[in-house]
Amino acid sequence: MSTAPRSRVSSRLAAIAPSATLAVDAKAKALKAAGRPVIGFGAGEPDFPTPDYVVQAAVAAAQDPANHKYSPAKGLPVLREAIAAATLRDSGHEVSPDAVLVTNGGKQAVFQAFAAVVDPGDEVILPAPYWTTYPEVIALAGGTPVEVFAGADQEYKVTVDQLEAARTDRTKAVLVCSPSNPTGAVYTPEELGAIGRWALEHGVWVITDEIYEHLLYDGAEPAHILSLVPELAEQTIVLNGVAKTYAMTGWRVGWMIGPADVIAAATNFQSHLTSNVANVSQHAALAAVSGDLSTVAEMREAFDRRRRLMVSLLSEIEGLEVPVPRGAFYAYPSVEALIGRSLRGTLIDSSATLAGLVLEHAEVAVVPGEAFGPSGFVRLSYATGDEAITEGVGRLRELLSEVE
């Protein structure tokens, strides 16, 4: 009696799609290494070096033998205290250091947040466009992502009416990301407060990703859901980290803040998964979050200049609709008007096809909308130099002028 061969890779991991943003960035870097003059707008990574005072704190930590040993899985107490203090400074919401779990980058915080509250069969409302990792980690936790789409006409921001239409008796949580990756959209305090009150009324968990909180432009107001609706504290998990604010993507320090039972469960999980975050990185993060924000302000000023430059140049390209991003460091133009037309003999049947043509013919790397939800959009990061923006968008304009 023969039996069917068993799969070598578990179905759980086989179902995971690779990170589209990292894939685009890797392809661009490979082409560049091969001598191609590729300009990459794919990676969500500041091009600034980590501030020197942060690096010096890491050097000092590396020289201290105490940091050569294991430390608590939950994070160094001094860092958790500093994160709690920075949270109060930045959001006006007071949290206990005991409510903080330090993680290996923001991605681990995202994964552990969903793992902590989502059971098989639960639904998670996921506003789209969304960061490419969210649906994968929801599925890994056994949940079902329920996409709620807001297009360029809504400045990529969902409404409470849309959330309510998507809610069922299986809805466990809603994901909030403002300022947004991939769109740069920023919810106003009024909009975010309304979402918080809706979640409170219906017993829906809020998982709020605030990693771009310091990157705001055009007078956009800071808005944190727990400071607006403090009654949500027992059903909210806040995700954050040092990567985007302090140009520390490679240091891998993030954190999650939440109710005691959730943080205890996630800490137990992390104790088996990765143990503690590297102590040298934790001391670097301590210097970052406990210092002033003057270096952050300088980087934000540069991002703002680049944002205005990129939006101005993109807006000159026929067929693109470019909502003005007011946060993070991304532009997310709609290319829906180009779908169904042709470029150099190829039918543009999706934004993925268009992104491939742009990389092939203009040697410019952008991330197609399929990575973040519906087709018909592309994401460009302006966390790069002014010259690269001018040259790259110029190539894009020249190529797209050939669309028939």
Side-chain angles (χ1 to χ4, degrees):
M1 181 176 178
S2 62
T3 58
R6 299 182 70 177
S7 172
R8 287 169 53 83
V9 177
S10 72
S11 57
R12 184 175 61 256
L13 294 193
I16 300 174
S19 168
T21 52
L22 293 182
V24 168
D25 188 51
K27 187 170 184 179
K29 286 177 178 175
L31 289 171
K32 206 164 188 175
R36 301 271 295 275
V38 172
I39 292 177
F41 294 134
E45 181 173 46
D47 65 326
F48 300 105
T50 300
D52 185 64
Y53 69 93
V54 174
V55 176
Q56 292 307 313
V59 170
Q63 293 171 334
D64 183 350
N67 294 315
H68 304 170
K69 307 295 184 182
Y70 292 125
S71 60
K74 196 172 185 179
L76 295 172
V78 67
L79 176 56
R80 291 190 288 110
E81 291 169 5
I83 290 169
T87 300
L88 178 61
R89 175 197 68 191
D90 298 333
S91 73
H93 182 72
E94 186 169 3
V95 300
S96 165
D98 289 336
V100 179
L101 168 58
V102 181
T103 62
N104 288 276
K107 277 186 178 177
Q108 186 174 16
V110 172
F111 177 67
Q112 291 179 174
F114 287 110
V117 300
V118 174
D119 281 316
D122 286 344
E123 294 177 349
V124 177
I125 297 178
L126 182 59
Y130 48 73
W131 179 45
T132 184
T133 294
Y134 295 140
E136 302 299 334
V137 296
I138 293 168
L140 272 175
T144 301
V146 177
E147 295 183 23
V148 176
F149 177 69
D153 58 328
Q154 294 180 223
E155 297 183 323
Y156 304 120
K157 296 188 287 186
V158 299
T159 65
V160 168
D161 287 343
Q162 286 180 288
L163 297 177
E164 178 60 20
R167 186 177 63 86
T168 72
D169 58 4
R170 292 188 295 171
T171 300
K172 183 68 177 286
V174 61
L175 186 285
V176 174
C177 181
S178 177
S180 164
N181 176 4
T183 66
V186 179
Y187 285 82
T188 66
E190 292 75 20
E191 292 165 340
L192 201 57
I195 291 172
R197 290 187 293 274
W198 167 84
L200 184 66
E201 177 185 354
H202 297 291
V204 175
W205 279 82
V206 174
I207 298 177
T208 175
D209 190 338
E210 300 182 351
I211 201 162
Y212 293 97
E213 64 178 332
H214 288 289
L215 300 179
L216 296 169
Y217 320 106
D218 284 348
E221 295 180 66
H224 300 79
I225 201 162
L226 281 182
S227 63
L228 295 166
V229 189
E231 302 90 340
L232 272 174
E234 285 301 307
Q235 63 192 70
T236 297
I237 302 172
V238 179
L239 311 175
N240 212 322
V242 295
K244 314 298 183 178
T245 299
Y246 302 97
M248 294 178 67
T249 51
W251 296 83
R252 309 315 301 143
V253 182
W255 57 84
M256 53 188 293
I257 300 171
D261 54 346
V262 167
I263 294 300
T267 301
N268 288 341
F269 182 35
Q270 184 166 306
S271 73
H272 294 289
L273 187 66
T274 59
S275 300
N276 61 283
V277 175
N279 294 320
V280 170
S281 288
Q282 290 195 70
H283 279 283
L286 173 62
V289 300
S290 59
D292 66 37
L293 296 171
S294 56
T295 304
V296 176
E298 291 174 9
M299 290 190 282
R300 182 173 59 243
E301 184 178 342
F303 286 141
D304 188 18
R305 183 185 68 249
R306 297 166 179 180
R307 176 187 69 97
R308 287 181 274 112
L309 174 63
M310 177 172 276
V311 169
S312 173
L313 294 174
L314 287 172
S315 298
E316 296 173 358
I317 302 177
E318 185 179 350
L320 269 57
E321 181 181 355
V322 192
V324 177
R326 301 184 71 196
F329 37 62
Y330 309 105
Y332 202 71
S334 166
V335 296
E336 293 166 290
L338 303 180
I339 305 299
R341 300 167 70 182
S342 63
L343 176 60
R344 295 194 177 180
T346 299
L347 175 68
I348 305 172
D349 56 5
S350 67
S351 49
T353 297
L354 179 62
L357 291 169
V358 167
L359 184 58
E360 177 184 358
H361 297 298
E363 297 182 313
V364 172
V366 300
V367 186
E370 285 84 348
F372 312 109
S375 181
F377 306 86
V378 292
R379 191 191 79 171
L380 297 88
S381 169
Y382 50 83
T384 187
D386 298 58
E387 290 183 8
I389 291 171
T390 301
E391 171 66 21
V393 179
R395 292 185 197 173
L396 189 64
R397 180 179 64 247
E398 187 175 343
L399 178 65
L400 295 185
S401 69
E402 300 179 27
V403 170
E404 299 175 339

